[in-house]
Amino acid sequence: MNPFSSGTRLRDMIRAIRACKTAAEERAVVRKECAAIRAAISENDQDYRHRNIAKLMFIHMLGYPTHFGQMECLKLIASPGFPEKRIGYLGLMLLLDERQEVLMLVTNSIKQDLNHTNQYIVGLALCALGNIGSAEMARDLAPEVERLLQFRDPNIRKKAALCSIRIIKKVPDLVENFMNPAASLLKEKHHGVLLTGVQLCTDLCKISSEALEYFRKKCTDSLVKVLKDLVNSPYAPEYDISGITDPFLHIRLLRFLRILGQGDADASDSMNDILAQVATKTESNKNAGNAILYECVATIMSIEDNGGLRVLAINILGRFLSNRDNNIRYVALNMLMRAITVDSQAVQRHRATILECVKDSDASIRKRALELVYLLVNESNAKPLTKELIEYLEVSDPEFKGDLTAKICSIIEKFSPEKIWYIDNMLKVLSEAGNYVKDEVWHALIVVITNASNLHGYSVRSLYRAVQTTGDQETLLRVAVWCIGEYGDMLINSAGMLNIEEPITVTESDAVDVIETTIKRHSSDLTTRAMCLVALLKLSSRFPSCSQRINDIIVHYKGSLVLELQQRAIEFSSIVDRHQNIRSALVERMPVLDEATYSGRRAGSVSAVASTSQAATLNLPNGVAKTAAAPLVDLLDLSSDDVPAPSSSGGDFLQDLLGVDLAPASSQSGINQTQKSGNDVLLDLLSIGTPPAQSSTAIPEILSSNQDNKSPINILEQLSSPSAPSGHVSSPANSPMVDLLDGFAPKPQKPEDNGTAYPSITAFESSSLRVTFNFSKQPGNPQITLIDALFENKTSNSCTNFIFQAAVPKFLQLHLDPASSTTLPASGNGSITQKLRITNSQHGKKSLVMRIRIAYKKDDKDALEEGQISNFPRGL
Amino acid sequence: MIHFVLLISRQGKVRLAKWYSTFSAKERSKVVRELSGTILSREPELCQFVHWRGFTVVYKKYAGLYVCMCVGQDDNELEIFDIIHRYVVLLDCYFGNVCELDLVFNFHKAYYILDELIVAGELQESSTRTVLQQIVAHDVMVAVAREEASTLNNIISQVTQY
């Protein structure tokens, strides 16, 4: 009975599936077929089993699940007929992979088939074992396969040889069992057996050094002879490919010789002649010949040194490189890459050709060539190579620029002989492909520039020129803005002019122009804009004549929606406006950035940039340092490199900036939560305008933010002296910072301004302390009561570590602002003020009530006082 | 060694997929998706190698069919062209001027031929003639088995008739 004659035939199913116009239709057909096949499986239908498996294979290729057919494959394999077994094994190889447990069940069937009298069935079993055999199967079936290596039919022997490869790869312990039979395969005349035998021996040698020794001793000479005979063999039509007899065998023999010759001078010596013959005699106008030459070159490069052969091999690669076929050039680059470790001098000879390949139209070739060029660079050729690569950068494809830029930068950093060369070339890269340059690269450039004190002027002038010609590369602009900010004066007065430089006339407003254009560019991002603002601040001090214009630009960003910019703009404009006296000190030049620290911090990222082990070495001969990967933040906290800066948020800059003049200022701000992050300082700064009476407490907060790294000298004792009890700060002697703040704080409102006045009360009085509350209300907000608490010390000893705490019932909400100090001077010589804000949700129904606790230290003893306040005026 | 062989049509349909290294079903479909995307979009004048997860995929285009083989870094890429060509020649000899439809309807035959050329990811035979002889011998055995089965059926039906 013809299994393909009734029901839906395989052919019909394929037709039906191909006729489907939509994926949904196809799914429907497949579903129907699968249902039919499942039904047939459950009925244990035998006649159509192999047709069903054939269908399932097709369905499997379309990507549908077919696991339910796996057991059917096993049944087919177990059936006696050849056609069933054939399709069963095919199904096994297709529908199963090595990982599935079903495979274990098939081991026994395969074992039987390996011992079958029909050699074709043995062939099927070997093929399946070779293609999907697992380690367990390999172990179980190894003896059968070993025996089949001596089978009378060569077709079985060659299959058994390849099957053995799988077995020894899965179970390397079995290598010794296969060494002898494999060696005997090498004496065969049948090409298929010889081919597979050589392959088997190669793999044996790769896995076991013992096998390598064995074959090296026993077979090297005979293999050389086999190759010699093959090379000199007359035309054999059966094996001929474009005039060469059996190139596949050629290649395998050469590969085996490579393994044998590697690390053994004698073996290498015995194969020199034949390798030379292959290298010189093989025709290279067809692919087959080139494949042999390619393999031969690989062998010559791997075996022990023979100068003459190496030259021959490199010359072949040179010929390959100038071949018009892209494939040939590709493999040549591949091989040169391997050869460079053996003989870099020889590879250097082809530098020009390789460089041409970098400019090839084929992306794969370009990429390979670039990697190779990167390996080729050394101190002596770095300059011309970099020049070439940068020139190419101008015309390269956009998608290639990323790779190219990374490699060029890496070369520049690694090999720059002097700093001026480094700076020049980096500028070129930045102007050509600045948008592809990674952050750490331009950070490193800035570090290098700051370190080259004699090149400051030169750098800033070059950058200025570069920006004038190409203004659209973000990183170029950043570096330029930074340098103009730092060294703007050198741009104007042409200080430190080098002989090679052309004179350039730049006015102060030209320099500001650059920054103004940059900050107004639409594509400039936050980092660039923030850097522009810093540069402007610096220029306002360097160019007093432009101060007003700079302030106009800065003021524009006071309304920026980006917090970072707004913060900077507000602070900077205040500095420009009112604080000329401290400004020049504030914006002094950055200290020289430490290259060693930088290269250390960057160590982790270096290996990512450089793709070779060669490049991973960190000893930069020219001392060119690399920055850490963190962007803006790092750049800005550079100023604090000399002091340990514990925090890392962007707002630190403010902290550092303000810290310049406030180094000795530090304080404890009472029960206020210690402000750690610079951003909080900003928040407080910004909130000054809203609650009217907070301005005095904001100062201690700013000051306290410095406490982490400054010595604690208590400036607030002066601040909170009786002359400045609360509310507004008027003493100009206190600190310039106070003035800084009043620039944008509205006039502090006095309690009297607020309509209804409430009498002050003495909230608490003990033998040592008196607490007075002054009340005020915001107009239109009767629920909220503002309390100014005034603490006075009645004893003759001052109190330290003074903390005031308060608790209220649930219907009230209490907000405690920080106290003006934690130290209460003795005998009423001073006081502490603290602001409280109480929101009464039951205003008009219930009156205020409060429980307080005061802790302090007097005469080195801790004291604690508690009390309840219920004498609040009515109507609060 | 060859890790897998793929035949992909110009439309990205898989016509044959043979795996010699272990890939799970999920990985297999991912491989096919990724590779067909890259290979089909490559311009004809570019080199026929694609780097893919540390492997090199060598491909060759025949009419609307791409034959791809994935090899390791140490293998001879140029030789793979000859192996690919050898396989296509075998298909051509077997089907007689092979076209894509032959491979669609007789996909199992394409697999049988591949199994006679490559086992365990290594080339098994360098002679075209030997491979074809093997395949023909297999086909003859299948034909004989069918013949026997049908005569047997005839006998049974005749016996049951009378």
Side-chain angles (χ1 to χ4, degrees), chain A residues 98 155 252 327 330 362, chain B residues 22 47-48 51 79 127 134:
Chain A
E98 188 195 324
N155 288 317
R252 274 162 191 72
N327 296 326
Y330 179 89
D362 187 336
Chain B
T22 314
C47 71
Q48 289 142 298
H51 262 271
E79 187 205 11
S127 152
Q134 290 283 308

Side-chain angles (χ1 to χ4, degrees), chain A residues 23-41:
Chain A
E25 253 180 85
E26 183 187 290
R27 276 199 297 276
V29 173
V30 170
R31 208 163 36 232
K32 214 175 100 206
E33 283 295 339
C34 284
I37 293 168
R38 278 173 198 268
I41 289 173

Side-chain angles (χ1 to χ4, degrees), chain A residues 248-316:
Chain A
F248 301 116
L249 187 55
H250 266 96
I251 288 168
R252 274 162 191 72
L253 284 168
L254 285 168
R255 197 178 297 159
F256 191 28
L257 287 179
R258 172 159 84 231
I259 303 256
L260 295 180
Q262 212 160 15
D264 188 288
D266 290 344
S268 302
D269 226 32
S270 61
M271 60 186 79
N272 277 342
D273 287 350
I274 186 65
L275 289 179
Q277 195 187 343
V278 172
T280 47
K281 292 274 168 63
T282 311
E283 285 287 332
S284 65
N285 47 7
K286 286 280 167 44
N287 182 61
N290 284 328
I292 294 177
L293 283 175
Y294 179 49
E295 198 66 47
C296 187
V297 169
T299 303
I300 291 173
M301 284 303 178
S302 303
I303 63 169
E304 290 312 293
D305 193 24
N306 178 315
L309 276 181
R310 289 258 160 95
V311 172
L312 207 57
I314 295 284
N315 285 343
I316 291 174

Side-chain angles (χ1 to χ4, degrees), chain B residues 14-33:
Chain B
V14 179
R15 295 299 178 211
L16 179 142
K18 185 90 183 170
W19 309 87
Y20 297 105
S21 296
T22 314
F23 291 87
S24 71
K26 215 184 240 172
E27 285 167 342
R28 287 180 184 183
S29 58
K30 202 170 161 214
V31 168
V32 171
R33 220 175 30 245

Side-chain angles (χ1 to χ4, degrees), chain A residues 208-222:
Chain A
S208 137
S209 54
E210 193 187 332
L212 177 60
E213 275 311 309
Y214 175 82
F215 285 111
R216 192 179 270 158
K217 244 182 232 140
K218 226 179 138 194
C219 305
T220 309
D221 292 332
S222 63

Side-chain angles (χ1 to χ4, degrees), chain A residues 244-406:
Chain A
I244 297 165
T245 306
D246 207 341
F248 301 116
L249 187 55
H250 266 96
I251 288 168
R252 274 162 191 72
L253 284 168
L254 285 168
R255 197 178 297 159
F256 191 28
L257 287 179
R258 172 159 84 231
I259 303 256
L260 295 180
Q262 212 160 15
D264 188 288
D266 290 344
S268 302
D269 226 32
S270 61
M271 60 186 79
N272 277 342
D273 287 350
I274 186 65
L275 289 179
Q277 195 187 343
V278 172
T280 47
K281 292 274 168 63
T282 311
E283 285 287 332
S284 65
N285 47 7
K286 286 280 167 44
N287 182 61
N290 284 328
I292 294 177
L293 283 175
Y294 179 49
E295 198 66 47
C296 187
V297 169
T299 303
I300 291 173
M301 284 303 178
S302 303
I303 63 169
E304 290 312 293
D305 193 24
N306 178 315
L309 276 181
R310 289 258 160 95
V311 172
L312 207 57
I314 295 284
N315 285 343
I316 291 174
L317 291 180
R319 270 204 329 264
F320 275 16
L321 270 185
S322 48
N323 200 303
R324 271 180 310 155
D325 186 347
N326 279 340
N327 296 326
I328 307 283
R329 275 193 292 167
Y330 179 89
V331 295
L333 290 171
N334 236 353
M335 185 55 71
L336 283 171
M337 203 119 73
R338 273 186 252 171
I340 202 165
T341 49
V342 182
D343 190 352
S344 74
Q345 224 37 52
V347 182
Q348 292 283 3
R349 284 213 303 275
H350 298 292
R351 208 172 59 216
T353 331
I354 297 166
L355 211 51
E356 282 309 302
C357 291
V358 175
K359 303 169 187 174
D360 200 89
S361 58
D362 187 336
S364 306
I365 291 193
R366 274 201 309 252
K367 223 170 155 190
R368 273 283 127 129
L370 183 61
E371 281 167 30
L372 187 55
V373 166
Y374 184 70
L375 294 181
L376 277 178
V377 179
N378 56 29
E379 276 81 3
S380 61
N381 60 20
K383 277 191 173 184
L385 272 176
T386 316
K387 188 160 169 282
E388 285 263 3
L389 290 176
I390 290 178
E391 274 165 20
Y392 176 58
L393 190 61
E394 294 166 25
V395 291
S396 65
D397 289 350
E399 64 263 32
F400 191 49
K401 277 194 172 148
D403 276 348
L404 193 56
T405 314

